[in-house]
Amino acid sequence: MSTNTNAIETERLSKRYGRRTALDDCTVAIPTGHVVGLVGANGAGKSTLLQLAVGLLEPTDGTITVLGGRPGAGPAQLARVGFLAQDAPVYGNLTVGDHLQLGERLNPGWDRALARRRIERFGLDPRQRAGRLSGGQRSQLALTIAIGKRPELLLLDEPVASLDPLARREFLADLMQLAAEHQPTVVLSSHLLSDVERVCDHVVVLAGGRVRVAGDVDDLLASHKVLTGARTVSTALPPGQTAISASHTDRQTTLLIRTAGPVHDPRWQVSDVGLEELVLAYMSADVPARSLAAVGP
Amino acid sequence: MEFGVIEFRIDTHSGVAPYRQIVQQVRQALRLGLLEEGDQLPTVKEVVAQVAINPNTVLKAYRELEHEGLAAGRPGLGTFVTRSLADGSLGAHKALAAELGRWLQKARRAGLDDDSIAALFERTFRASMNEDVA
């Protein structure tokens, strides 16, 4: 298998629960070697996409390929993908030590030294029952189990949503150390954009079950600008520029645009865009999603 | 393990890309003489553990510093400062800082608040830059 296989690749992927559509015609490629932020409002399809990638769900339509293989296809595929479900589930009646033993028995490639080191570093008592851990400790234990099998791809569903700010920062700092040391591809879903901006170098924006935009964070920031001008300015844009969102007051018009090159029109004041502003624009944009998913650098 | 000589801060609300913030903070430390030629910058692992940012962001910042000729990577050892930005002007800093301190006291006595002082400095700074250009 080539080393530049995408971590996750979907082709016209859809998932419906009865009459409700959770994912709708998603085509996206997520490269390896990045920390990828999967962002979108609640119900946008983030958890569904992650559960499809780990093999807990089957697609209704289309295909999904993970590290070149079919999700959950067999022991070899399962060993390559680590998954931390929302709210960091642990077995409340089992001890921390029991969890480590389970991890070791169930995973052929288990890294016992790594797991032990993490438990010690976070001051977790192996005899402590998991149900009595704090939220932050429980997340650290669950991440330890997910990372203990040394996966190539680590999928995290809202890993910090239930943590207080201090525990959140510690969790992310630890995750980034893991990323620096072991270099797994990490895909984490989050609706906390400031966290995504800190830790992710690639983003996928989902809204209404569709991929609105996906790409390298720095490339996306470089190819989008905010234009501000008088209300009378025509919003027609030259070729190569596309408006993603527009807002108007009585006197002023503000556009967020995607552009291939610099903007020279003197009627506009041009400024750079932040990741949060960009993501929000795509999340609320009323545009045909398929045409936007293919944004390149 | 000896820890690097400077600590980075990342402000995600500043609108400045995180890797740019690291580059700016190194340049600033070089200008103020806090970092000197031969100093080791914190390792990628140290930075991400400390400020919880993407390791690629740190690598990108260090590559940019190398590109600017301010730092160089030594394989297996880390990234080291290769050039100072302080030069001969560092000796004048102390006297200028004292003078600026006296000016700030005067501005406060005249009733300016922090925002007004910053705005006045910014405007005067820009005006003097324009004079230099003209």
Side-chain angles (χ1 to χ4, degrees):
Chain A
M1 195 176 305
S2 75
T3 49
N4 54 13
T5 308
N6 281 319
I8 300 178
E9 217 176 294
T10 72
E11 182 73 44
R12 309 209 65 160
L13 180 70
S14 295
K15 178 68 190 176
R16 286 184 286 279
Y17 301 104
R19 300 170 81 177
R20 196 174 76 78
T21 300
L23 274 185
D24 186 14
D25 203 16
C26 287
T27 299
V28 69
I30 298 175
T32 54
H34 292 274
V35 179
V36 183
L38 191 55
V39 298
N42 291 330
K46 306 189 295 287
S47 293
T48 300
L49 181 57
L50 290 176
Q51 289 181 28
L52 284 162
V54 79
L56 286 169
L57 292 174
E58 289 279 332
T60 311
D61 264 315
T63 58
I64 176 165
T65 312
V66 173
L67 298 169
R70 195 165 65 80
Q77 178 76 17
L78 286 171
R80 301 172 74 196
V81 182
F83 177 55
L84 178 54
Q86 209 164 346
D87 299 328
V90 292
Y91 297 99
N93 283 325
L94 298 187
T95 65
V96 169
D98 291 338
H99 278 81
L100 296 191
Q101 219 168 58
L102 261 179
E104 186 161 347
R105 299 257 174 97
L106 295 173
N107 295 286
W110 186 255
D111 187 337
R112 183 193 288 176
L114 172 69
R116 284 270 166 81
R117 223 169 34 237
R118 291 178 54 81
I119 296 305
E120 267 170 36
R121 183 146 61 90
F122 298 119
L124 297 180
D125 177 357
R127 291 161 305 180
Q128 173 87 276
R129 287 226 306 246
R132 312 195 62 161
L133 298 173
S134 72
Q137 290 174 323
R138 204 175 65 216
S139 293
Q140 297 295 8
L141 175 61
L143 180 63
T144 298
I145 304 302
I147 199 79
K149 65 183 195 178
R150 299 293 298 271
E152 292 165 56
L153 171 63
L154 184 60
L155 305 171
L156 310 172
D157 195 359
E158 293 282 2
V160 295
S162 60
L163 302 183
D164 64 61
L166 184 62
R168 210 167 82 204
R169 174 58 79 85
E170 281 175 355
F171 183 93
L172 293 175
D174 172 55
L175 182 65
M176 290 305 100
Q177 265 180 290
L178 276 174
E181 277 173 60
H182 304 296
Q183 296 169 349
T185 301
V186 179
V187 179
L188 64 95
S189 70
S190 182
H191 58 262
L192 299 166
L193 290 172
S194 61
D195 286 344
V196 169
E197 189 154 18
R198 272 191 115 81
V199 305
C200 298
D201 54 355
H202 197 98
V203 288
V204 177
V205 179
L206 284 174
R210 287 175 163 241
V211 177
R212 297 291 175 160
V213 71
D216 181 274
V217 171
D218 290 331
D219 290 344
L220 288 173
L221 294 182
S223 60
H224 288 76
K225 296 283 173 207
V226 173
L227 307 186
T228 322
R231 179 75 165 96
T232 50
V233 170
S234 153
T235 58
L237 293 166
Q241 297 181 6
T242 316
I244 307 304
S245 71
S247 63
H248 307 277
T249 67
D250 285 346
R251 298 188 183 166
Q252 204 179 45
T253 291
T254 305
L255 298 180
L256 195 152
I257 66 158
R258 189 175 83 229
T259 174
V263 177
H264 295 301
D265 191 334
R267 292 170 303 171
W268 295 112
Q269 192 192 325
V270 184
S271 45
D272 288 334
V273 60
L275 184 65
E276 182 161 355
E277 204 175 1
L278 186 145
V279 167
L280 290 174
Y282 275 98
M283 276 168 64
S284 53
D286 188 24
V287 283
R290 273 189 69 82
S291 66
L292 290 177
V295 176
Chain B
M1 193 195 325
E2 189 174 308
F3 209 78
V5 276
I6 63 167
E7 276 188 6
F8 298 118
R9 284 164 295 106
I10 300 296
D11 176 5
T12 47
H13 298 292
S14 68
V16 180
Y19 87 92
R20 284 247 124 244
Q21 294 186 37
I22 292 179
V23 172
Q24 283 169 3
Q25 284 167 33
V26 170
R27 296 184 64 101
Q28 178 88 341
L30 287 170
R31 258 182 233 115
L32 295 175
L34 298 173
L35 275 178
E36 293 167 356
E37 195 176 326
D39 281 338
Q40 180 173 9
L41 295 175
T43 66
V44 172
K45 236 183 90 176
E46 285 166 352
V47 178
V48 302
Q50 193 202 346
V51 291
I53 56 168
N54 190 302
N56 291 335
T57 301
V58 187
L59 287 170
K60 185 166 179 176
Y62 284 7
R63 272 203 308 272
E64 172 111 0
L65 289 166
E66 287 176 21
H67 184 72
E68 291 177 13
L70 297 175
R74 294 186 209 152
L77 290 174
T79 305
F80 293 81
V81 173
T82 51
R83 189 156 69 86
S84 169
L85 288 174
D87 303 332
S89 74
L90 199 57
H93 279 204
K94 204 173 164 193
L96 286 167
E99 212 174 312
L100 196 54
R102 283 194 294 277
W103 182 86
L104 284 170
Q105 279 178 357
K106 232 196 278 179
R108 291 213 179 85
R109 275 201 301 272
L112 277 74
D113 62 11
D114 290 356
D115 287 344
S116 308
I117 289 172
L120 180 62
F121 177 83
E122 181 86 349
R123 200 176 66 201
T124 314
F125 185 72
R126 278 180 196 286
S128 93
M129 272 190 353
N130 289 341
E131 274 169 30
D132 287 350
V133 171

